[in-house]
């Protein structure tokens, strides 16, 4: 069992997802007081679709601890 923060990335891979991940660790974590729970895996969810499309949507799931 884990608590997750789910972030959506919109745009061509890998650039947009890389930017989302950078912002999670440099902006979101410091602003919220949460920490990455290293005891659970990070999940990257890639639905069917054109991964280089500017409209492609995927998710990055980060396990949390307070």
């Amino acid at each position: 069992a884990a608590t997750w923060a789910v972030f959506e990335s919109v745009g061509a891979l890998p650039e947009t997802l890389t930017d989302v991940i950078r912002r999670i660790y440099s902006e979101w974590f410091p602003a919220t007081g949460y920490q990455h729970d290293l005891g659970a895996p990070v999940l990257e969810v890639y639905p069917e679709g054109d991964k280089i499309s500017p409209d492609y949507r995927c998710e990055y799931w980060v396990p949390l601890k307070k």
Side-chain angles (χ1 to χ4, degrees):
T3 300
W4 304 86
V6 179
F7 300 91
E8 184 176 54
S9 172
V10 179
L13 294 180
E15 293 84 8
T16 56
L17 183 58
T18 302
D19 185 54
V20 167
I21 293 168
R22 179 191 57 75
R23 292 184 65 205
I24 290 167
Y25 291 94
S26 67
E27 298 173 23
W28 190 84
F29 273 119
T32 64
Y34 284 101
Q35 296 178 350
H36 181 169
D37 182 356
L38 299 175
V42 169
L43 303 175
E44 295 180 15
V45 179
Y46 300 100
E48 292 290 323
D50 180 1
K51 292 179 177 63
I52 60 170
S53 166
D55 298 325
Y56 183 74
R57 295 176 183 272
C58 64
E59 294 176 340
Y60 188 77
W61 292 45
V62 183
L64 303 175
K65 64 181 176 180
K66 193 72 172 168

